[in-house]
Amino acid sequence: LIGIGIIGCGLIGETHAQCLVELGEGVRLFFDIDPARAADLAEKFGGKVAKSAEELIASPEIEAVYICTHHDTHASLAQLAAEHGKHIFLEKPMAVNEVDCRKIVDAVDRAKVYCMTGFKLRFNPLATRAKELIPKPTLIVAHILDDRWPDDSWANDPVKGGGNVLSQGCHAVDLACEFARSKPLRVLAEGGNLHHPGIDITDTLAMTITFANGTLANIVIADAGESPVVGKFSFQLMDGTHSLHLFDRMKQLVYTDGKTEKVFTEFEELGFMNENSEFLSALRGHRNPSADQHAGLRATLILLRAIESARTHQSIALDTI
Ligand SMILES: NC(=O)c1ccc[n+]([C@@H]2O[C@H](COP(=O)([O-])OP(=O)(O)OC[C@H]3O[C@@H](n4cnc5c(N)ncnc54)[C@H](O)[C@@H]3O)[C@@H](O)[C@H]2O)c1
């Protein structure tokens, strides 16, 4: 067994613990700045509570660290884990500013540890199916449209969370890049703060990414209200002849070649389970996991450049990504 420790025992720390137990791996150590949360997960899933993040990371029992905390703590925890030679599962977004993202990538690259970013959407089977059905899309139309995030939630805090665009927009950007299979060249966006006056965040963004192969990805991200028919996540791919729509939390896909329609259905969302499975098999196989630190950096930098584009009303080159 790989010795795994989880830092951050909230909603997603618990989700990963559940997946790791179901995958037969389990969790050795838990840590949270709220000790009761760590104790709850240790009791529920087995394992012990560490006294500090440092103790968990330094423990000889621990080979890989899950970082499931708020976004402003990802960089320091990931740096510490890398310095101790521990592999990292880093919840998305990698961070909400470029300095933190680069610190993480530099530390991971320097230490030569494996690092996975938690881009669960791409691990749903119908995302893989979409890639197979339309391997060379010329047009990608995607959205992440959620119900309004409360003003006082940590994720809407400009420092701890960064708002919905930076928090979950990275899922859409990552998957669009995976579908395009090409280098992103530039981004043009409009948007701003439309629903959360007084909070320094971008809550609405409509962006277009142009890829080196000519593919265009049009992505809208907002907490303006969940989309009633297709739901929060929506990805449409077209190549001039074929088109498909992936929706209903990645559980339904409709594909057409212009004559015949095919419908594919999954009964549950499998992203969390499958990304954990990928992380474990990468560690066992001594290989870099899919959705590594460079994918984490790519998604957040594209979003940061898109926010800059919306502010300046200029197209921004993505040549430093
Ligand atoms: N992949 C997904 O679909 C998905 C969905 C929701 C959240 N997330 C991500 O998961 C991460 C955690 O989100 P959440 O919803 O579980 O939040 P949460 O508030 O439920 O849990 C976060 C926990 O981290 C703890 N914490 C904060 N700072 C800490 C520190 N320095 N050391 C140890 N513990 C600390 C908090 O006390 C809290 O218990 C975030 O990166 C978030 O964006 C991912």
Side-chain angles (χ1 to χ4, degrees):
L1 289 181
I2 301 160
I4 290 181
I6 292 184
I7 301 178
C9 300
L11 184 72
I12 296 301
E14 176 163 6
T15 302
H16 287 301
Q18 180 72 47
C19 291
L20 290 164
V21 167
E22 285 180 35
L23 289 164
E25 186 59 55
V27 180
R28 301 248 173 105
L29 285 175
F30 293 95
F31 174 70
D32 196 292
I33 46 169
D34 178 348
R37 290 192 169 191
D40 279 352
L41 294 200
E43 193 184 328
K44 187 166 177 189
F45 298 108
K48 292 176 285 179
V49 174
K51 290 192 188 67
S52 64
E54 291 75 12
E55 182 189 91
L56 182 148
I57 288 168
S59 166
E61 283 189 79
I62 297 302
E63 207 179 315
V65 179
Y66 276 57
I67 298 173
C68 305
T69 55
H70 302 154
H71 309 148
D72 57 331
T73 60
H74 286 187
S76 57
L77 291 168
Q79 272 182 300
L80 195 63
E83 281 161 14
H84 280 80
K86 305 297 164 93
H87 305 300
I88 300 165
F89 182 101
L90 180 59
E91 254 311 335
K92 60 85 234 169
M94 169 171 266
V96 291
N97 63 67
E98 182 162 358
V99 170
D100 277 3
C101 288
R102 297 224 181 258
K103 276 185 192 164
I104 295 170
V105 173
D106 289 350
V108 166
D109 286 349
R110 205 174 317 120
K112 297 190 170 51
V113 292
Y114 298 124
C115 177
M116 180 163 180
T117 315
F119 289 137
K120 65 173 183 184
L121 291 198
R122 57 154 106 172
F123 294 96
N124 282 281
L126 292 183
T128 310
R129 174 80 69 174
K131 276 170 125 182
E132 290 160 5
L133 290 167
I134 303 192
K136 291 182 180 166
T138 47
L139 182 62
I140 300 165
V141 180
H143 77 226
I144 296 190
L145 290 175
D146 211 354
D147 282 336
R148 191 175 192 283
W149 288 19
D151 282 351
D152 60 357
S153 77
W154 69 264
N156 259 338
D157 180 286
V159 175
K160 285 187 185 170
N164 87 90
V165 166
L166 283 168
S167 284
Q168 56 181 11
C170 54
H171 279 307
V173 172
D174 176 64
L175 196 47
C177 290
E178 288 302 292
F179 286 144
R181 302 179 203 227
S182 181
K183 193 175 158 38
L185 288 187
R186 58 186 176 274
V187 65
L188 179 63
E190 288 291 342
N193 184 331
L194 273 62
H195 308 106
H196 299 279
I199 307 180
D200 185 18
I201 52 160
T202 297
D203 63 23
T204 305
L205 197 68
M207 61 195 282
T208 302
I209 306 170
T210 305
F211 290 89
N213 62 1
T215 299
L216 291 181
N218 189 252
I219 306 173
V220 178
I221 308 152
D223 65 340
E226 185 170 325
S227 187
V229 179
V230 297
K232 178 174 163 181
F233 303 123
S234 167
F235 293 88
Q236 298 181 73
L237 311 186
M238 294 103 187
D239 68 3
T241 309
H242 314 90
S243 67
L244 68 78
H245 197 169
L246 174 55
F247 60 103
D248 184 22
R249 295 206 64 106
M250 317 301 278
K251 293 185 296 186
Q252 293 196 61
L253 189 160
V254 181
Y255 165 82
T256 177
D257 60 6
K259 296 187 200 90
T260 316
E261 209 169 83
K262 284 187 191 160
V263 178
F264 302 86
T265 308
E266 288 287 339
F267 292 100
E268 51 176 322
E269 213 179 330
L270 292 166
F272 279 120
M273 189 57 88
N274 290 353
E275 69 180 356
N276 276 284
S277 182
E278 161 64 10
F279 184 58
L280 297 181
S281 57
L283 296 192
R284 290 187 187 117
H286 306 286
R287 64 168 172 85
N288 223 18
S290 165
D292 65 6
Q293 69 275 18
H294 300 290
L297 179 71
R298 176 180 68 180
T300 293
L301 287 193
I302 290 175
L303 280 171
L304 289 169
R305 301 290 188 268
I307 289 170
E308 191 187 335
S309 169
R311 192 175 48 78
T312 59
H313 308 291
Q314 302 286 324
S315 168
I316 310 271
L318 298 172
D319 48 2
T320 54
I321 287 177

Short mmCIF file of all heavy atoms in Angstrom, two decimals, residues 181-233:
data_model
loop_
_atom_site.label_atom_id
_atom_site.label_comp_id
_atom_site.label_asym_id
_atom_site.label_seq_id
_atom_site.Cartn_x
_atom_site.Cartn_y
_atom_site.Cartn_z
N ARG A 181 -6.52 19.28 -28.15
CA ARG A 181 -5.24 18.59 -28.40
C ARG A 181 -4.25 19.49 -29.14
O ARG A 181 -3.62 19.07 -30.12
CB ARG A 181 -5.43 17.32 -29.24
CG ARG A 181 -6.36 16.31 -28.64
CD ARG A 181 -6.48 15.14 -29.58
NE ARG A 181 -7.70 14.42 -29.35
CZ ARG A 181 -7.76 13.10 -29.24
NH1 ARG A 181 -6.68 12.38 -29.32
NH2 ARG A 181 -8.92 12.51 -29.05
N SER A 182 -4.15 20.72 -28.73
CA SER A 182 -3.26 21.66 -29.42
C SER A 182 -2.85 22.75 -28.45
O SER A 182 -3.48 22.94 -27.41
CB SER A 182 -4.02 22.23 -30.61
OG SER A 182 -3.23 23.13 -31.33
N LYS A 183 -1.80 23.47 -28.82
CA LYS A 183 -1.30 24.52 -27.93
C LYS A 183 -2.24 25.72 -27.96
O LYS A 183 -2.57 26.22 -29.04
CB LYS A 183 0.09 24.92 -28.44
CG LYS A 183 0.88 25.76 -27.50
CD LYS A 183 2.28 25.98 -28.06
CE LYS A 183 2.95 27.21 -27.45
NZ LYS A 183 2.72 27.44 -26.05
N PRO A 184 -2.67 26.21 -26.79
CA PRO A 184 -3.49 27.43 -26.78
C PRO A 184 -2.63 28.65 -27.14
O PRO A 184 -1.56 28.84 -26.57
CB PRO A 184 -3.99 27.53 -25.33
CG PRO A 184 -3.05 26.70 -24.52
CD PRO A 184 -2.43 25.69 -25.42
N LEU A 185 -3.10 29.44 -28.13
CA LEU A 185 -2.28 30.57 -28.60
C LEU A 185 -2.67 31.90 -28.00
O LEU A 185 -1.83 32.71 -27.66
CB LEU A 185 -2.42 30.70 -30.13
CG LEU A 185 -1.77 29.67 -31.01
CD1 LEU A 185 -1.91 30.11 -32.46
CD2 LEU A 185 -0.31 29.48 -30.64
N ARG A 186 -3.99 32.16 -27.95
CA ARG A 186 -4.43 33.45 -27.38
C ARG A 186 -5.84 33.34 -26.83
O ARG A 186 -6.57 32.39 -27.17
CB ARG A 186 -4.32 34.59 -28.40
CG ARG A 186 -5.08 34.39 -29.65
CD ARG A 186 -4.82 35.49 -30.69
NE ARG A 186 -5.55 35.12 -31.89
CZ ARG A 186 -5.06 34.32 -32.84
NH1 ARG A 186 -3.83 33.84 -32.74
NH2 ARG A 186 -5.80 33.99 -33.87
N VAL A 187 -6.19 34.31 -26.00
CA VAL A 187 -7.51 34.30 -25.39
C VAL A 187 -8.10 35.72 -25.48
O VAL A 187 -7.38 36.71 -25.34
CB VAL A 187 -7.45 33.79 -23.93
CG1 VAL A 187 -6.65 34.72 -23.02
CG2 VAL A 187 -8.84 33.57 -23.36
N LEU A 188 -9.40 35.75 -25.73
CA LEU A 188 -10.14 37.02 -25.78
C LEU A 188 -11.37 36.83 -24.89
O LEU A 188 -12.08 35.82 -25.04
CB LEU A 188 -10.56 37.30 -27.22
CG LEU A 188 -11.37 38.57 -27.48
CD1 LEU A 188 -10.54 39.81 -27.14
CD2 LEU A 188 -11.80 38.63 -28.95
N ALA A 189 -11.60 37.74 -23.98
CA ALA A 189 -12.72 37.53 -23.04
C ALA A 189 -13.41 38.84 -22.68
O ALA A 189 -12.84 39.92 -22.82
CB ALA A 189 -12.20 36.86 -21.77
N GLU A 190 -14.63 38.69 -22.23
CA GLU A 190 -15.36 39.79 -21.59
C GLU A 190 -15.95 39.23 -20.31
O GLU A 190 -16.20 38.02 -20.21
CB GLU A 190 -16.48 40.33 -22.49
CG GLU A 190 -16.00 41.13 -23.69
CD GLU A 190 -15.38 42.49 -23.34
OE1 GLU A 190 -15.60 42.99 -22.21
OE2 GLU A 190 -14.65 43.04 -24.19
N GLY A 191 -16.18 40.10 -19.35
CA GLY A 191 -16.76 39.62 -18.10
C GLY A 191 -16.43 40.58 -16.98
O GLY A 191 -16.00 41.70 -17.21
N GLY A 192 -16.64 40.12 -15.76
CA GLY A 192 -16.37 40.97 -14.61
C GLY A 192 -17.15 40.49 -13.41
O GLY A 192 -17.46 39.30 -13.30
N ASN A 193 -17.48 41.44 -12.54
CA ASN A 193 -18.25 41.11 -11.34
C ASN A 193 -19.68 41.61 -11.56
O ASN A 193 -19.95 42.80 -11.47
CB ASN A 193 -17.60 41.76 -10.12
CG ASN A 193 -18.31 41.37 -8.84
OD1 ASN A 193 -19.52 41.09 -8.84
ND2 ASN A 193 -17.58 41.33 -7.75
N LEU A 194 -20.57 40.69 -11.89
CA LEU A 194 -21.95 41.08 -12.22
C LEU A 194 -22.93 40.82 -11.08
O LEU A 194 -24.03 41.36 -11.07
CB LEU A 194 -22.43 40.31 -13.46
CG LEU A 194 -22.10 40.94 -14.83
CD1 LEU A 194 -20.60 41.07 -15.05
CD2 LEU A 194 -22.70 40.11 -15.96
N HIS A 195 -22.55 39.93 -10.13
CA HIS A 195 -23.52 39.51 -9.12
C HIS A 195 -23.07 39.63 -7.68
O HIS A 195 -23.81 39.28 -6.77
CB HIS A 195 -23.93 38.04 -9.36
CG HIS A 195 -24.37 37.78 -10.75
ND1 HIS A 195 -23.61 37.10 -11.66
CD2 HIS A 195 -25.49 38.16 -11.41
CE1 HIS A 195 -24.24 37.05 -12.82
NE2 HIS A 195 -25.38 37.69 -12.69
N HIS A 196 -21.82 40.02 -7.46
CA HIS A 196 -21.30 40.07 -6.09
C HIS A 196 -20.67 41.43 -5.82
O HIS A 196 -19.46 41.52 -5.60
CB HIS A 196 -20.29 38.93 -5.86
CG HIS A 196 -20.88 37.58 -6.05
ND1 HIS A 196 -21.62 36.94 -5.07
CD2 HIS A 196 -20.88 36.74 -7.11
CE1 HIS A 196 -22.03 35.77 -5.52
NE2 HIS A 196 -21.60 35.62 -6.75
N PRO A 197 -21.49 42.52 -5.81
CA PRO A 197 -20.92 43.85 -5.62
C PRO A 197 -20.16 43.94 -4.30
O PRO A 197 -20.57 43.36 -3.30
CB PRO A 197 -22.15 44.77 -5.62
CG PRO A 197 -23.33 43.88 -5.44
CD PRO A 197 -22.96 42.52 -5.93
N GLY A 198 -19.02 44.61 -4.37
CA GLY A 198 -18.25 44.82 -3.14
C GLY A 198 -17.22 43.75 -2.88
O GLY A 198 -16.41 43.87 -1.97
N ILE A 199 -17.24 42.66 -3.66
CA ILE A 199 -16.22 41.61 -3.47
C ILE A 199 -15.29 41.66 -4.68
O ILE A 199 -15.76 41.69 -5.83
CB ILE A 199 -16.86 40.21 -3.36
CG1 ILE A 199 -17.94 40.19 -2.29
CG2 ILE A 199 -15.79 39.16 -3.05
CD1 ILE A 199 -18.62 38.84 -2.13
N ASP A 200 -14.01 41.63 -4.43
CA ASP A 200 -13.03 41.80 -5.52
C ASP A 200 -12.76 40.46 -6.23
O ASP A 200 -11.69 39.86 -6.09
CB ASP A 200 -11.73 42.38 -4.92
CG ASP A 200 -10.72 42.69 -6.01
OD1 ASP A 200 -11.12 42.80 -7.19
OD2 ASP A 200 -9.52 42.82 -5.67
N ILE A 201 -13.77 40.01 -6.98
CA ILE A 201 -13.64 38.76 -7.74
C ILE A 201 -14.25 38.95 -9.13
O ILE A 201 -15.06 39.86 -9.33
CB ILE A 201 -14.37 37.57 -7.07
CG1 ILE A 201 -15.83 37.95 -6.76
CG2 ILE A 201 -13.64 37.07 -5.83
CD1 ILE A 201 -16.75 36.78 -6.56
N THR A 202 -13.88 38.07 -10.05
CA THR A 202 -14.58 37.99 -11.33
C THR A 202 -15.59 36.85 -11.18
O THR A 202 -15.19 35.73 -10.89
CB THR A 202 -13.59 37.67 -12.46
OG1 THR A 202 -12.68 38.77 -12.55
CG2 THR A 202 -14.29 37.49 -13.79
N ASP A 203 -16.88 37.16 -11.37
CA ASP A 203 -17.87 36.08 -11.19
C ASP A 203 -18.47 35.62 -12.52
O ASP A 203 -19.20 34.63 -12.56
CB ASP A 203 -18.97 36.48 -10.21
CG ASP A 203 -19.80 37.68 -10.66
OD1 ASP A 203 -19.87 37.96 -11.87
OD2 ASP A 203 -20.40 38.33 -9.77
N THR A 204 -18.16 36.33 -13.60
CA THR A 204 -18.76 36.00 -14.90
C THR A 204 -17.71 36.21 -15.98
O THR A 204 -17.09 37.28 -16.05
CB THR A 204 -19.96 36.94 -15.18
OG1 THR A 204 -20.87 36.84 -14.08
CG2 THR A 204 -20.67 36.56 -16.47
N LEU A 205 -17.50 35.20 -16.81
CA LEU A 205 -16.49 35.33 -17.87
C LEU A 205 -16.96 34.59 -19.11
O LEU A 205 -17.38 33.44 -19.04
CB LEU A 205 -15.17 34.72 -17.36
CG LEU A 205 -13.92 35.11 -18.12
CD1 LEU A 205 -13.57 36.58 -17.92
CD2 LEU A 205 -12.74 34.25 -17.65
N ALA A 206 -16.91 35.29 -20.25
CA ALA A 206 -17.19 34.66 -21.55
C ALA A 206 -15.91 34.77 -22.35
O ALA A 206 -15.44 35.88 -22.64
CB ALA A 206 -18.33 35.39 -22.25
N MET A 207 -15.29 33.64 -22.66
CA MET A 207 -13.94 33.67 -23.24
C MET A 207 -13.84 32.82 -24.50
O MET A 207 -14.57 31.84 -24.65
CB MET A 207 -12.92 33.17 -22.21
CG MET A 207 -13.16 31.74 -21.76
SD MET A 207 -12.25 31.32 -20.25
CE MET A 207 -10.62 31.09 -20.93
N THR A 208 -12.94 33.22 -25.37
CA THR A 208 -12.64 32.40 -26.56
C THR A 208 -11.15 32.12 -26.59
O THR A 208 -10.34 33.07 -26.57
CB THR A 208 -13.07 33.12 -27.84
OG1 THR A 208 -14.47 33.41 -27.74
CG2 THR A 208 -12.83 32.26 -29.07
N ILE A 209 -10.81 30.84 -26.64
CA ILE A 209 -9.39 30.46 -26.76
C ILE A 209 -9.17 30.03 -28.21
O ILE A 209 -9.95 29.25 -28.76
CB ILE A 209 -9.04 29.26 -25.84
CG1 ILE A 209 -9.44 29.55 -24.39
CG2 ILE A 209 -7.56 28.91 -25.93
CD1 ILE A 209 -9.36 28.32 -23.47
N THR A 210 -8.08 30.52 -28.81
CA THR A 210 -7.69 30.06 -30.15
C THR A 210 -6.49 29.14 -29.99
O THR A 210 -5.50 29.51 -29.33
CB THR A 210 -7.30 31.27 -31.03
OG1 THR A 210 -8.38 32.18 -31.04
CG2 THR A 210 -6.98 30.82 -32.46
N PHE A 211 -6.57 27.96 -30.58
CA PHE A 211 -5.49 26.97 -30.49
C PHE A 211 -4.64 26.99 -31.76
O PHE A 211 -5.11 27.43 -32.83
CB PHE A 211 -6.08 25.58 -30.26
CG PHE A 211 -6.68 25.42 -28.89
CD1 PHE A 211 -8.01 25.74 -28.65
CD2 PHE A 211 -5.91 24.97 -27.82
CE1 PHE A 211 -8.57 25.62 -27.38
CE2 PHE A 211 -6.46 24.84 -26.54
CZ PHE A 211 -7.79 25.16 -26.33
N ALA A 212 -3.43 26.44 -31.66
CA ALA A 212 -2.48 26.46 -32.79
C ALA A 212 -3.04 25.73 -34.00
O ALA A 212 -2.72 26.09 -35.15
CB ALA A 212 -1.15 25.84 -32.35
N ASN A 213 -3.86 24.71 -33.79
CA ASN A 213 -4.42 23.96 -34.93
C ASN A 213 -5.67 24.63 -35.51
O ASN A 213 -6.34 24.07 -36.37
CB ASN A 213 -4.73 22.51 -34.52
CG ASN A 213 -5.78 22.43 -33.41
OD1 ASN A 213 -6.29 23.46 -32.96
ND2 ASN A 213 -6.10 21.22 -32.97
N GLY A 214 -6.00 25.82 -35.01
CA GLY A 214 -7.16 26.56 -35.54
C GLY A 214 -8.44 26.32 -34.76
O GLY A 214 -9.42 27.04 -34.95
N THR A 215 -8.44 25.33 -33.89
CA THR A 215 -9.65 25.06 -33.08
C THR A 215 -9.99 26.28 -32.21
O THR A 215 -9.10 26.92 -31.64
CB THR A 215 -9.41 23.83 -32.17
OG1 THR A 215 -9.15 22.71 -33.00
CG2 THR A 215 -10.61 23.54 -31.28
N LEU A 216 -11.29 26.56 -32.13
CA LEU A 216 -11.77 27.64 -31.25
C LEU A 216 -12.54 27.02 -30.09
O LEU A 216 -13.35 26.11 -30.32
CB LEU A 216 -12.74 28.56 -32.00
CG LEU A 216 -12.18 29.44 -33.10
CD1 LEU A 216 -13.31 30.29 -33.70
CD2 LEU A 216 -11.09 30.37 -32.55
N ALA A 217 -12.28 27.50 -28.89
CA ALA A 217 -13.08 27.07 -27.73
C ALA A 217 -13.76 28.29 -27.13
O ALA A 217 -13.09 29.24 -26.74
CB ALA A 217 -12.20 26.39 -26.70
N ASN A 218 -15.07 28.24 -27.09
CA ASN A 218 -15.86 29.32 -26.52
C ASN A 218 -16.39 28.83 -25.17
O ASN A 218 -17.12 27.84 -25.12
CB ASN A 218 -17.00 29.61 -27.50
CG ASN A 218 -17.75 30.85 -27.13
OD1 ASN A 218 -18.87 30.77 -26.67
ND2 ASN A 218 -17.12 31.99 -27.30
N ILE A 219 -15.99 29.49 -24.09
CA ILE A 219 -16.32 28.98 -22.75
C ILE A 219 -16.96 30.10 -21.93
O ILE A 219 -16.43 31.20 -21.87
CB ILE A 219 -15.05 28.49 -22.02
CG1 ILE A 219 -14.28 27.46 -22.87
CG2 ILE A 219 -15.39 27.89 -20.66
CD1 ILE A 219 -12.93 27.06 -22.28
N VAL A 220 -18.09 29.79 -21.30
CA VAL A 220 -18.74 30.74 -20.39
C VAL A 220 -18.74 30.14 -18.98
O VAL A 220 -19.11 28.98 -18.81
CB VAL A 220 -20.19 31.04 -20.84
CG1 VAL A 220 -20.86 32.00 -19.86
CG2 VAL A 220 -20.21 31.63 -22.24
N ILE A 221 -18.31 30.93 -18.02
CA ILE A 221 -18.26 30.47 -16.62
C ILE A 221 -18.93 31.53 -15.76
O ILE A 221 -18.59 32.71 -15.86
CB ILE A 221 -16.79 30.30 -16.15
CG1 ILE A 221 -15.99 29.43 -17.11
CG2 ILE A 221 -16.74 29.71 -14.75
CD1 ILE A 221 -14.52 29.77 -17.12
N ALA A 222 -19.87 31.13 -14.93
CA ALA A 222 -20.55 32.09 -14.05
C ALA A 222 -21.34 31.36 -12.98
O ALA A 222 -21.68 30.18 -13.14
CB ALA A 222 -21.50 32.97 -14.87
N ASP A 223 -21.64 32.09 -11.89
CA ASP A 223 -22.60 31.56 -10.90
C ASP A 223 -23.88 32.38 -11.01
O ASP A 223 -24.45 32.82 -10.01
CB ASP A 223 -22.01 31.56 -9.48
CG ASP A 223 -21.71 32.95 -8.94
OD1 ASP A 223 -21.59 33.90 -9.75
OD2 ASP A 223 -21.60 33.09 -7.71
N ALA A 224 -24.32 32.54 -12.25
CA ALA A 224 -25.50 33.37 -12.53
C ALA A 224 -26.78 32.55 -12.44
O ALA A 224 -27.88 33.08 -12.55
CB ALA A 224 -25.37 33.97 -13.92
N GLY A 225 -26.67 31.24 -12.27
CA GLY A 225 -27.84 30.35 -12.23
C GLY A 225 -27.51 29.10 -13.04
O GLY A 225 -26.94 29.21 -14.14
N GLU A 226 -27.85 27.95 -12.49
CA GLU A 226 -27.55 26.71 -13.21
C GLU A 226 -28.39 26.63 -14.48
O GLU A 226 -29.56 27.01 -14.49
CB GLU A 226 -27.83 25.49 -12.32
CG GLU A 226 -27.41 24.20 -12.99
CD GLU A 226 -27.45 23.00 -12.05
OE1 GLU A 226 -27.16 23.15 -10.86
OE2 GLU A 226 -27.77 21.91 -12.55
N SER A 227 -27.81 26.12 -15.53
CA SER A 227 -28.50 26.01 -16.81
C SER A 227 -29.60 24.95 -16.68
O SER A 227 -29.32 23.80 -16.34
CB SER A 227 -27.48 25.62 -17.87
OG SER A 227 -28.06 25.66 -19.12
N PRO A 228 -30.88 25.31 -16.92
CA PRO A 228 -31.98 24.40 -16.58
C PRO A 228 -32.01 23.08 -17.35
O PRO A 228 -32.30 22.06 -16.77
CB PRO A 228 -33.24 25.20 -16.87
CG PRO A 228 -32.83 26.58 -17.17
CD PRO A 228 -31.37 26.60 -17.44
N VAL A 229 -31.72 23.08 -18.62
CA VAL A 229 -31.90 21.84 -19.39
C VAL A 229 -30.67 20.94 -19.32
O VAL A 229 -30.76 19.76 -18.99
CB VAL A 229 -32.26 22.16 -20.86
CG1 VAL A 229 -32.43 20.88 -21.66
CG2 VAL A 229 -33.53 23.00 -20.92
N VAL A 230 -29.49 21.51 -19.57
CA VAL A 230 -28.29 20.66 -19.64
C VAL A 230 -27.52 20.58 -18.33
O VAL A 230 -26.70 19.70 -18.16
CB VAL A 230 -27.35 21.13 -20.77
CG1 VAL A 230 -28.03 21.00 -22.11
CG2 VAL A 230 -26.87 22.54 -20.55
N GLY A 231 -27.80 21.50 -17.38
CA GLY A 231 -27.13 21.43 -16.09
C GLY A 231 -25.86 22.26 -16.05
O GLY A 231 -25.57 23.04 -16.96
N LYS A 232 -25.12 22.06 -14.97
CA LYS A 232 -23.96 22.92 -14.67
C LYS A 232 -22.83 22.79 -15.69
O LYS A 232 -22.22 23.78 -16.07
CB LYS A 232 -23.46 22.54 -13.26
CG LYS A 232 -22.25 23.27 -12.80
CD LYS A 232 -21.96 22.90 -11.34
CE LYS A 232 -20.55 23.26 -10.94
NZ LYS A 232 -20.26 22.90 -9.54
N PHE A 233 -22.54 21.57 -16.10
CA PHE A 233 -21.42 21.36 -17.04
C PHE A 233 -21.96 21.06 -18.43
O PHE A 233 -22.84 20.20 -18.59
CB PHE A 233 -20.56 20.15 -16.63
CG PHE A 233 -20.01 20.23 -15.23
CD1 PHE A 233 -20.27 19.23 -14.31
CD2 PHE A 233 -19.21 21.29 -14.84
CE1 PHE A 233 -19.76 19.29 -13.03
CE2 PHE A 233 -18.69 21.36 -13.56
CZ PHE A 233 -18.97 20.35 -12.64
#
